[in-house]
């Protein structure tokens, strides 16, 4: 047996001498590119330098002091506890006669940059890739094999910059392959990860089934425990789906967001196995009613875990990737004993609360699976590296997750059954009580129906009589009051003194043989009388009719005063006088009063009267009647008529406006202002009337 080993070693040495030719230099790999042995270990030919502070620039790297350091290489995943940033330098000489491409493979790392050095010592980037960088779907795994092309008889220098941000560094074992060898290596890697990937995919399918069942049950029976369980399932589905992102040559739906698997690594474990676990247990066991102290404990711990999750997100955003792993390790170790105490406390109450059994069995399955996986990792990796691998789901942890999910889902189904049974019993009791109430209600209804019929008939009869009497009384009062107001308005409009003056004026024109003027005066006077009688029968007329009526009246007064009076009617152009309606003959008494007292001012040679119609709002008409007479206050002191006869026309118009406001809800407002109150040098009266449009 020993002879065979020596013979095989001798053959290997001879083969190496034939392939590599003369002994290579200490810093150069001399190889025949057309006859490369399978998988050359490049560690003896690689020089390395660690850039802990990331201070080296591309110009400084070629001149930096590289050295042989075998400690940075490792064949298995290793917990480094911090960021690892290093440069590898490789000199390659092609001793063969052909120009073929070789492939340099150093593992799956976070950031990788492949450079070639030219004759002027400058570095040129050939390829960049990495677990935190590459977004090129499945083809991204081909980027981790870096091409080495060296013409026959020449030597070239290559640099590989590796920067691992995460605390668990993947295997770093640099190897050189030709095309056929690299394809075989790729197939072996695919086969190695395929079993674990198939297992993860099966787990994802089962978790999706659990999620669908939880959602369907929540639709049938809205309960917070279903929501927390669904959130727990969603967190696990996302966690394991992102695990496919780190399996070489496996398809993942999140390849466009390579950083997502790092953000949802440790936070996912805290979210699913602590935060949602506590929230689900609180709602599922109804701790608030059954175990208030444990409910408070669960809430405090859940709030603390929520704060830790936010802290982990912050550390990841600040590129402190090792901190969340350390935090999770401390949380895991700190909760081992308290969880056992909680399980013991729940076990004592499982007899009286059957739901506790489902929660307890599911929790114990996952607890034992996690602890067993941790113990299995301690022996091959050591305590520190085993703590770093707590977030990596092993086969035992996957089995624990499935058992826990099934126990929780079975508990939810049993809880649904209990709630359904409780509802059924409650409904049966309610139906019995309802039947009793219906029977009692039927008897009472029979007794009350007769009494209600008699009382209702009598009440309706009396109510109808009172309503009819009230309507008749109101109609009578309104008709009587309206008739009185209308008669008073007619008498106020056809002022006897005004009629007497008009007749005297007509007589004077006849005596002066001014028949044409007398005929015009008589015609206008008769038109005014007819319109007065016509308008007195209507409550509303158009603004155009009101303006024509006032023009006729003021024209007669101007003829009577022998042109010692001037008047003007100004209308806002936006007013449609033919369509807008105003109360009939509401303005005439105020115009007549302005003529009566506006023409008696001895300080004014000509009496002036201004009537304005303004549209102050879309639904509000303003009418201003302004004169330069003696003013309303002075006119009151000069009146010699009895008190009951003073300003009867204005008083009737004011009362008529109030009646219209009550009958039609018009909201007419009338303001009488003496101009001397605002300015002592002016005299006269302003009447402001606001008429809303219906």
């Amino acid at each position: 047996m020993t002879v065979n080993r020596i013979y095989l070693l001798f053959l290997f040495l001879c083969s190496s001498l034939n392939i590599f030719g003369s002994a290579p230099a200490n810093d150069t790999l001399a190889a025949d590119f057309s006859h490369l042995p399978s998988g050359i270990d490049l560690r003896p030919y690689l020089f390395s330098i660690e850039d802990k502070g990331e201070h080296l620039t591309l110009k400084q790297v070629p001149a930096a002091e590289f050295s042989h350091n075998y400690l940075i290489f490792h064949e298995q995943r290793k917990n480094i506890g911090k960021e690892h940033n290093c440069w590898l330098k490789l000199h390659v000489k092609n001793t063969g006669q052909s120009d073929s491409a070789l492939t340099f493979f150093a593992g799956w790392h976070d950031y990788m940059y492949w450079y070639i050095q030219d004759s002027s010592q400058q570095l040129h980037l050939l390829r960049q890739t990495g677990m935190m960088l590459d977004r090129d779907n499945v083809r991204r795994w081909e980027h981790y094999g870096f091409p080495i092309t060296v013409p026959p008889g020449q030597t070239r220098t290559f640099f590989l910059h590796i920067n691992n941000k995460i605390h668990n560094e993947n295997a770093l074992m640099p190897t050189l392959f030709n095309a056929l060898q690299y394809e075989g290596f790729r197939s072996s890697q695919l086969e190695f990860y395929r079993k674990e990937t198939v297992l993860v995919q099966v787990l994802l399918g089962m978790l999706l089934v659990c999620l669908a069942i939880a959602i369907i049950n929540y639709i049938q029976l809205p309960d917070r425990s279903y929501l927390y369980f669904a959130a727990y399932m969603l967190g696990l589905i996302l966690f394991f789906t992102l695990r496919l992102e780190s399996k070489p040559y496996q398809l993942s739906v999140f390849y466009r967001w390579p950083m997502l698997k790092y953000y949802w690594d440790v936070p996912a474990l805290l979210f699913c196995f602590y935060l949602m676990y506590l929230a689900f247990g609180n709602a599922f066991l109804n701790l608030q009613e059954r175990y208030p102290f444990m409910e408070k404990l669960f809430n405090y711990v859940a709030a603390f875990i929520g704060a830790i999750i936010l802290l982990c997100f912050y550390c990841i955003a600040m590129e402190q990737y090792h901190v969340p792993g350390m935090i999770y390790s401390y949380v895991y170790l700190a909760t081992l004993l308290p969880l056992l105490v909680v399980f013991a406390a729940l076990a004592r109450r499982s007899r009286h609360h059957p739901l506790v059994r489902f929660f307890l069995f599911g929790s114990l399955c996952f607890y034992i699976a996690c602890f067993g996986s941790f113990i299995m990792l301690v022996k091959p990796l050591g305590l520190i590296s085993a703590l770093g691998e707590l977030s990596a789901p092993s086969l035992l942890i996957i089995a624990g997750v499935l058992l826990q999910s099934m126990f929780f889902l079975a508990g939810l189904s049993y809880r649904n059954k209990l709630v359904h049974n409780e509802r059924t019993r409650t409904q049966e009791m309610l139906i019995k009580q309802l039947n009793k109430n219906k029977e009692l209600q039927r008897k009472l209804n029979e007794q009350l129906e007769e009494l209600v019929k008699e009382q209702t008939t009598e009440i309706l009869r009396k109510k109808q009589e009172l309503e009819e009497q009230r309507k008749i009384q109101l109609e009578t009062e309104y008709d009587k009051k309206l008739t009185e107001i209308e008669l008073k308005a007619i008498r106020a409009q056809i002022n006897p003194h005004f009629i007497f003056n008009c007749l005297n004026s007509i007589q004077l024109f006849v005596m002066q043989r001014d028949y044409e003027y007398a005929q015009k005066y008589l015609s206008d006077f008769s038109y005014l009388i007819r319109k007065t009688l016509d308008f007195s029968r209507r409550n509303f007329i158009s603004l155009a009719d009101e303006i024509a009526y006032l023009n006729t009246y003021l024209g007669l007064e101007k003829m009577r005063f022998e042109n010692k009076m001037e008047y003007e009617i100004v209308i806002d152009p936006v007013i449609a006088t033919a369509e807008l309606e105003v109360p009939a003959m509401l303005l005439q008494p105020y115009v007549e009063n302005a003529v009566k007292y506006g023409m008696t001012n001895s300080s004014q040679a000509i009496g002036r009267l201004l009537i304005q119609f303004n549209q102050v709002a879309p639904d509000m008409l303003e009418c201003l009647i302004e004169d330069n007479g003696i003013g309303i206050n002075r006119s009151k002191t000069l009146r010699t008529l009895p008190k009951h006869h003073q300003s009867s026309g204005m008083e009737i118009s004011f009362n008529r406006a109030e009646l219209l406001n009550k009958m039609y809800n018009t909201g007419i407002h009338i303001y009488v202002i003496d101009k001397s109150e605002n300015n002592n040098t002016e005299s006269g009266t302003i009447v402001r009337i606001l008429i809303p449009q219906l």
Side-chain angles (χ1 to χ4, degrees):
M1 189 70 179
T2 305
V3 175
N4 291 335
R5 289 181 179 178
I6 295 174
Y7 177 72
L8 290 174
L9 181 60
F10 177 76
L11 290 178
F12 178 76
L13 290 175
C14 292
S15 175
S16 300
L17 290 175
N18 291 330
I19 292 171
F20 293 103
S22 59
N26 294 332
D27 61 346
T28 303
L29 170 63
D32 185 354
F33 278 30
S34 59
H35 300 87
L36 192 71
S38 59
I40 298 179
D41 185 0
L42 295 179
R43 287 181 294 175
Y45 308 99
L46 283 175
F47 293 85
S48 63
I49 184 173
E50 295 195 23
D51 185 12
K52 296 182 179 180
E54 299 186 21
H55 301 300
L56 289 177
T57 63
L58 290 179
K59 294 182 179 180
Q60 296 173 346
V61 169
E65 295 184 3
F66 284 78
S67 61
H68 285 290
N69 183 10
Y70 283 86
L71 297 178
I72 67 172
F73 304 113
H74 46 90
E75 297 183 2
Q76 302 295 331
R77 187 174 173 86
K78 180 181 179 182
N79 182 268
I80 55 178
K82 58 182 178 179
E83 178 181 348
H84 187 202
N85 186 17
C86 66
W87 287 80
L88 302 179
K89 182 171 67 172
L90 175 65
H91 299 288
V92 181
K93 180 179 180 180
N94 187 356
T95 60
Q97 301 299 321
S98 62
D99 185 5
S100 62
L102 304 181
T103 301
F104 176 88
F105 181 80
W108 321 97
H109 303 287
D110 296 339
Y111 292 95
M112 304 180 74
Y113 305 91
W114 180 244
Y115 298 94
I116 187 173
Q117 183 177 356
D118 59 13
S119 58
S120 61
Q121 305 299 317
Q122 298 294 324
L123 299 186
H124 300 278
L125 181 64
L126 298 179
R127 178 177 294 178
Q128 61 180 7
T129 186
M131 301 288 287
M132 293 185 177
L133 183 63
D134 206 337
R135 305 179 181 181
D136 196 18
N137 203 354
V138 177
R139 290 176 298 174
R140 66 192 184 280
W141 302 114
E142 310 295 343
H143 299 167
Y144 291 84
F146 302 106
I148 294 180
T149 303
V150 181
Q154 294 187 20
T155 302
R156 287 185 176 178
T157 303
F158 298 90
F159 289 86
L160 177 61
H161 182 199
I162 299 177
N163 190 359
N164 282 314
K165 300 283 188 177
I166 202 69
H167 58 283
N168 289 336
E169 185 178 57
N170 286 324
L172 179 56
M173 188 58 58
T175 310
L176 189 65
F177 301 99
N178 60 24
L180 183 62
Q181 294 165 359
Y182 184 70
E183 185 62 27
F185 170 77
R186 179 184 180 281
S187 300
S188 64
Q189 289 287 300
L190 175 61
E191 187 65 27
F192 175 78
Y193 287 101
R194 179 177 294 171
K195 296 179 181 179
E196 184 179 353
T197 302
V198 170
L199 184 63
V200 171
Q201 291 173 347
V202 172
L203 174 64
L204 288 174
M206 300 183 70
L207 293 179
L208 284 172
V209 172
C210 294
L211 175 63
I213 294 174
I215 293 176
I216 293 173
N217 288 336
Y218 177 76
I219 294 174
Q220 296 177 350
L221 178 64
D223 190 348
R224 286 187 305 165
S225 56
Y226 285 111
L227 287 180
Y228 294 138
F229 182 75
Y232 175 50
M233 291 293 101
L234 280 175
L236 287 177
I237 289 171
L238 181 60
F239 174 75
F240 285 105
T241 305
L242 288 171
R243 281 287 163 179
L244 294 178
E245 180 68 24
S246 59
K247 309 300 180 188
Y249 308 105
Q250 306 303 323
L251 179 63
S252 173
V253 296
F254 297 106
Y255 64 88
R256 293 185 181 274
W257 304 278
M259 289 301 299
L260 188 59
K261 60 179 173 289
Y262 298 97
Y263 274 94
W264 196 243
D265 186 18
V266 172
L269 302 179
L270 294 171
F271 175 81
C272 297
F273 301 140
Y274 287 93
L275 184 60
M276 286 299 103
Y277 172 78
L278 294 172
F280 171 77
N282 194 350
F284 179 72
L285 300 177
N286 198 9
L287 297 181
Q288 186 175 6
E289 296 181 2
R290 298 179 180 272
Y291 317 117
F293 175 76
M294 191 174 293
E295 186 262 344
K296 292 182 180 179
L297 180 64
F298 274 36
N299 287 337
Y300 290 145
V301 176
F304 177 70
I305 294 298
I308 290 179
I309 292 174
L310 295 178
L311 178 61
C312 290
F313 281 131
Y314 174 77
C315 293
I316 294 172
M318 300 302 294
E319 296 187 355
Q320 299 295 323
Y321 298 99
H322 63 286
V323 176
M326 295 171 56
I327 292 176
Y328 181 75
S329 302
Y330 295 147
V331 170
Y332 175 77
L333 294 177
T335 54
L336 284 176
L337 185 59
L339 282 175
L340 283 178
V341 175
V342 172
F343 294 157
L346 291 176
R348 296 179 58 185
R349 296 168 172 82
S350 60
R351 295 181 180 179
H352 308 287
H353 193 357
L355 292 178
V356 173
R357 301 173 187 173
F358 293 97
F359 183 77
L360 189 59
F361 289 154
S363 301
L364 284 174
C365 287
F366 183 72
Y367 180 88
I368 295 173
C370 288
F371 188 73
S373 177
F374 173 65
I375 295 300
M376 292 172 64
L377 289 173
V378 170
K379 184 176 181 180
L381 300 179
L383 179 61
I384 302 300
S385 296
L387 288 174
E389 289 294 323
L390 281 176
S391 61
S394 63
L395 180 61
L396 195 58
I397 291 180
I398 291 176
V401 168
L402 284 176
L403 289 174
Q404 185 188 54
S405 301
M406 287 189 290
F407 273 114
F408 285 175
L409 192 60
L412 288 171
S413 300
Y414 186 74
R415 175 187 173 91
N416 198 356
K417 179 181 177 181
L418 292 179
V419 173
H420 179 72
N421 293 339
E422 184 66 24
R423 284 186 176 181
T424 303
R425 287 195 297 269
T426 304
Q427 289 176 357
E428 291 176 353
M429 294 177 60
L430 289 175
I431 290 173
K432 292 180 181 179
Q433 187 64 36
L434 183 61
N435 291 332
K436 293 181 181 180
N437 293 340
K438 284 184 177 180
E439 183 65 23
L440 180 61
Q441 184 179 5
R442 186 183 63 80
K443 294 180 180 179
L444 292 175
N445 288 338
E446 290 177 355
Q447 297 176 2
L448 292 175
E449 278 180 0
E450 297 296 329
L451 180 61
V452 170
K453 287 181 180 178
E454 296 176 0
Q455 296 294 332
T456 302
T457 304
E458 183 67 20
I459 290 172
L460 290 176
R461 186 181 62 80
K462 290 184 178 180
K463 182 179 179 181
Q464 186 176 2
E465 291 179 357
L466 291 174
E467 189 67 25
E468 291 177 355
Q469 292 177 2
R470 179 174 172 274
K471 287 182 179 179
I472 294 172
Q473 183 178 0
L474 288 176
E475 290 176 357
T476 303
E477 290 179 358
Y478 273 113
D479 291 341
K480 182 179 178 181
K481 194 167 184 179
L482 183 60
T483 303
E484 291 176 357
I485 294 295
E486 288 178 347
L487 291 175
K488 288 181 181 180
I490 293 172
R491 289 194 294 271
Q493 303 301 328
I494 310 176
N495 194 320
H497 183 66
F498 166 71
I499 296 174
F500 179 75
N501 289 336
C502 289
L503 293 175
N504 281 341
S505 297
I506 295 171
Q507 184 180 9
L508 178 62
F509 292 147
V510 172
M511 292 176 63
Q512 293 177 353
R513 298 181 180 276
D514 192 349
Y515 301 119
E516 183 179 356
Y517 215 28
Q519 183 179 3
K520 183 179 183 308
Y521 200 101
L522 183 60
S523 175
D524 291 346
F525 179 69
S526 63
Y527 170 80
L528 190 67
I529 296 300
R530 286 196 308 272
K531 287 298 181 181
T532 301
L533 294 174
D534 181 31
F535 292 166
S536 64
R537 291 192 294 268
R538 295 190 289 174
N539 288 326
F540 294 92
I541 62 174
S542 67
L543 181 60
D545 292 340
E546 181 72 15
I547 293 172
Y549 180 84
L550 293 177
N551 261 321
T552 305
Y553 169 73
L554 291 173
L556 291 174
E557 291 287 17
K558 183 176 182 180
M559 293 171 61
R560 188 168 66 83
F561 280 103
E562 298 179 353
N563 296 326
K564 291 184 179 181
M565 166 189 165
E566 292 182 357
Y567 73 92
E568 182 181 6
I569 299 177
V570 180
I571 306 171
D572 194 341
V574 300
I575 298 176
T577 57
E579 300 176 0
L580 193 144
E581 290 189 345
V582 296
M585 296 187 298
L586 181 67
L587 308 178
Q588 195 275 341
Y590 296 100
V591 174
E592 180 183 350
N593 193 72
V595 172
K596 181 178 180 180
Y597 294 102
M599 305 301 111
T600 58
N601 190 354
S602 58
S603 61
Q604 301 289 340
I606 298 176
R608 290 184 173 83
L609 178 63
L610 175 63
I611 302 175
Q612 298 183 44
F613 294 94
N614 301 315
Q615 190 79 35
V616 295
D619 58 348
M620 181 66 68
L621 175 68
E622 179 190 51
C623 177
L624 297 175
I625 304 172
E626 182 179 357
D627 63 70
N628 63 343
I630 59 177
I632 188 67
N633 295 331
R634 187 179 175 191
S635 66
K636 290 180 181 179
T637 61
L638 297 178
R639 289 173 185 163
T640 58
L641 295 175
K643 183 177 181 181
H644 67 275
H645 189 69
Q646 293 178 1
S647 302
S648 60
M650 294 177 61
E651 182 180 355
I652 290 172
S653 291
F654 186 78
N655 292 336
R656 185 162 175 264
E658 288 186 347
L659 183 59
L660 289 172
N661 289 340
K662 293 180 180 179
M663 293 176 64
Y664 301 101
N665 195 23
T666 54
I668 299 173
H669 296 281
I670 301 174
Y671 307 95
V672 181
I673 306 168
D674 196 312
K675 295 167 66 175
S676 62
E677 294 179 358
N678 298 328
N679 192 348
N680 294 330
T681 60
E682 293 183 357
S683 63
T685 305
I686 299 176
V687 179
R688 185 170 181 258
I689 304 174
L690 297 176
I691 306 173
Q693 300 303 300
L694 299 178

